[in-house]
Amino acid sequence: MSIVEIGALAQLVGAIAILLSLIFVVIELRKNFRQNDIANTLQRGIEREKLNYARMEEGLAKVIVKAYRSYRKLEDFEKIQFESLMLQQLAVYFRAYRTADETAFKLGPDFLRDRVRISAADFFSNPGVRECYQALRARDAVNNHALLLTIVGEDVLTQPAV
């Protein structure tokens, strides 16, 4: 075997090694993406659970019940509590809707966006929530009104107070 043949063989072995290492990198990246997806899902779950735990506290639960009926009838400190809760809820909706393509796994982004849409429409079905939202909008405290319109639609936000 000549030096030229040995060189060609070495090139072939090197090319195979590079191909195998690229395949290994792709496999590891897929595992990393999967782990990241799981971590994101857990984080979203924790956010929802924190909101639910906060609602279980008696004082805030009373404010929520009162606010669902009428935002205008809340005391000033209750308005602050409810506005904070509402802004947190909106942030959860916005994050979930924007990241649906990356975080929906096998369910698909449309499924996740539909869940966000249903949850947001249910939240905004309360007259006091719509009143609070309009008050926040008047103060320019809502970051992304256009995205909320995309999520729930204008008809949900403009329902008449009962």
Side-chain angles (χ1 to χ4, degrees), residues 16-73:
I16 291 171
I18 289 172
L19 182 63
L20 289 175
S21 57
L22 284 174
I23 291 171
F24 176 74
V25 167
V26 168
I27 290 169
E28 289 302 313
L29 279 174
R30 294 184 93 203
K31 286 181 186 176
N32 191 2
F33 285 141
R34 178 77 176 134
Q35 290 171 345
N36 191 35
D37 288 344
I38 291 169
N40 285 338
T41 299
L42 291 173
Q43 185 60 39
R44 277 197 326 267
I46 290 169
E47 285 179 353
R48 283 191 307 271
E49 288 172 14
K50 283 181 181 178
L51 282 172
N52 288 335
Y53 287 137
R55 288 182 184 125
M56 289 169 41
E57 190 270 313
E58 184 179 357
L60 185 57
K62 288 178 180 178
V63 169
I64 291 170
V65 168
K66 193 174 171 183
Y68 277 5
R69 291 185 189 124
S70 174
Y71 171 75
R72 288 181 221 126
K73 292 180 181 177

Side-chain angles (χ1 to χ4, degrees), residues 79-142:
K79 285 182 179 179
I80 291 170
Q81 287 178 307
F82 189 69
E83 287 174 358
S84 297
L85 176 75
M86 184 160 184
L87 290 172
Q88 284 181 323
Q89 188 69 55
L90 289 173
V92 169
Y93 293 150
F94 293 159
R95 269 194 304 279
Y97 194 84
R98 276 193 236 129
T99 60
D101 289 320
E102 293 83 19
T103 59
F105 309 124
K106 295 179 181 176
L107 297 174
D110 291 336
F111 176 81
L112 182 57
R113 285 191 177 113
D114 285 343
R115 297 304 314 150
V116 170
R117 186 173 288 114
I118 290 166
S119 179
D122 181 55
F123 185 60
F124 279 95
S125 69
N126 300 291
V129 171
R130 292 189 303 276
E131 291 171 10
C132 179
Y133 183 75
Q134 295 306 328
L136 289 169
R137 285 261 338 226
R139 295 195 325 258
D140 198 26
V142 177

Side-chain angles (χ1 to χ4, degrees), residues 145-157:
H145 177 68
L147 181 57
L148 188 63
L149 286 176
T150 301
I151 294 171
V152 295
E154 184 139 1
D155 56 325
V156 172
L157 294 179

